[in-house]
Amino acid sequence: MLTYPDIDPVALALGPLKVHWYGLMYLIGFALAWWLGRRRARRPESGWTTEMVDDLIFYGVLGVIVGGRLGYMLFYGFDQILASPLNLLKVWEGGMSFHGGLIGVLVAIGLFARRHGLHFFQVGDFLAPLVPTGLLAGRIGNFVNGELWGHRTELPWGVRLPCERFPRQCLDQPTDTLLSPAVHASQLYEAALEGLVLFVVLWIFSSRPRPMMAVSGLFLLGYGGFRFLVEFVREPDAHIGYLAFDWLTMGQILSLPMVFAGALLLALAYRPRKTA
């Protein structure tokens, strides 16, 4: 079994100012998306300029941060809002919802497309291959933060956690236990599937001309499917638990519409065209 390295969530402390790894991972994700977007814009057939990419990433950053935080607090932490509305601002403590961030990005895409006179899915298809880099970085941030662990496992890549930092994983262990039973590092599963694998698939798929909506559809289908599967080994939020059948989670409920929407977009993109 592996042992969690117990990384300090604070990367740099300068007096009262603390820079968290979680925030740095988001910064790295946005930087990668910006760099890759500029590379895509240089393709002769892209129809994009590097200045448009700069503008799009700015819109996207706002959509991710505002939508991700609002989505998390509404879907998973509404009780925290009731306790103190200021909890909405504590992004450095973790707590960002991909599904909320997606809604924020969809709004940002609509605003950007309107400003530049583009079709919504022209923008969506361009942006979709860039998103998994942010997902990869964000899930690594979750791992460093020590959140979103999975169920216990006896598989050799299970991770044992220090009980002092993660008492919840050691509740049924003797009080002098130092390490928890091994659990799934579900954050790293998501980093690999929603991040690395989805990026490679979308980057290769979008390297050739595709009908409008196809790239966006593949992104939604891929993310929704991967997230739905990983939820089977990821512990549900303690204050929510399972919603039904002792296995259905909030993450799966929110991912199912993405799977259906992605399949629909792909079907529409590749539907037979009638000829006159």
Side-chain angles (χ1 to χ4, degrees):
M1 297 291 181
L2 306 176
T3 301
Y4 180 70
D6 200 13
I7 307 167
D8 188 343
V10 178
L12 179 65
L14 299 172
L17 177 64
K18 295 182 179 180
V19 180
H20 290 71
W21 283 110
Y22 190 77
L24 286 178
M25 289 299 104
Y26 270 84
L27 183 61
I28 291 170
F30 291 137
L32 283 172
W34 171 76
W35 178 68
L36 291 168
R38 283 183 150 236
R39 284 194 59 184
R40 280 175 61 83
R42 293 190 184 102
R43 294 176 182 174
E45 74 281 0
S46 75
W48 285 68
T49 65
T50 54
E51 290 76 16
M52 291 171 67
V53 172
D54 297 345
D55 201 15
L56 177 61
I57 295 301
F58 175 74
Y59 275 75
V61 168
L62 292 179
V64 168
I65 294 176
V66 176
R69 187 58 180 171
L70 285 174
Y72 177 82
M73 298 302 286
L74 291 174
F75 298 147
Y76 300 99
F78 193 68
D79 56 327
Q80 298 178 45
I81 300 178
L82 296 178
S84 173
L86 291 177
N87 285 327
L88 277 169
L89 305 178
K90 297 179 180 179
V91 180
W92 58 88
E93 294 182 355
M96 294 284 283
S97 163
F98 168 79
H99 299 93
L102 176 63
I103 294 172
V105 169
L106 292 177
V107 173
I109 288 174
L111 294 174
F112 177 89
R114 182 176 179 180
R115 177 180 175 183
H116 289 270
L118 298 172
H119 191 284
F120 180 91
F121 284 108
Q122 282 180 284
V123 183
D125 288 348
F126 181 87
L127 182 62
L130 314 181
V131 175
T133 59
L135 298 177
L136 172 60
R139 292 310 181 193
I140 293 174
N142 292 141
F143 180 78
V144 173
N145 255 16
E147 56 193 2
L148 309 183
W149 294 106
H151 298 296
R152 291 181 180 179
T153 178
E154 295 182 0
L155 293 171
W157 55 82
V159 179
R160 302 181 70 190
L161 310 175
C163 292
E164 183 177 1
R165 180 175 170 186
F166 302 99
R168 179 184 170 192
Q169 276 71 25
C170 302
L171 288 176
D172 58 348
Q173 303 299 304
T175 55
D176 59 347
T177 301
L178 298 178
L179 295 174
S180 74
V183 298
H184 288 287
S186 54
Q187 323 94 321
L188 299 184
Y189 298 174
E190 292 188 70
L193 294 174
E194 304 162 8
L196 183 58
V197 173
L198 189 57
F199 167 72
V200 172
V201 169
L202 288 172
W203 191 260
I204 294 174
F205 182 74
S206 63
S207 64
R208 298 176 59 185
R210 304 291 179 181
M212 190 182 296
M213 299 185 291
V215 180
S216 298
L218 185 59
F219 168 78
L220 292 172
L221 182 63
Y223 177 87
F226 286 144
R227 176 66 183 272
F228 191 92
L229 291 175
V230 174
E231 287 286 323
F232 283 110
V233 298
R234 175 174 152 178
E235 282 195 350
D237 290 75
H239 60 290
I240 296 178
Y242 293 114
L243 301 182
F245 316 120
D246 290 328
W247 60 264
L248 186 65
T249 67
M250 176 64 79
Q252 289 174 319
I253 290 291
L254 296 174
S255 296
L256 277 177
M258 295 183 65
V259 173
F260 294 137
L264 177 61
L265 290 180
L266 282 168
L268 291 173
Y270 286 102
R271 68 187 183 279
R273 300 294 200 275
K274 292 183 179 180
T275 57

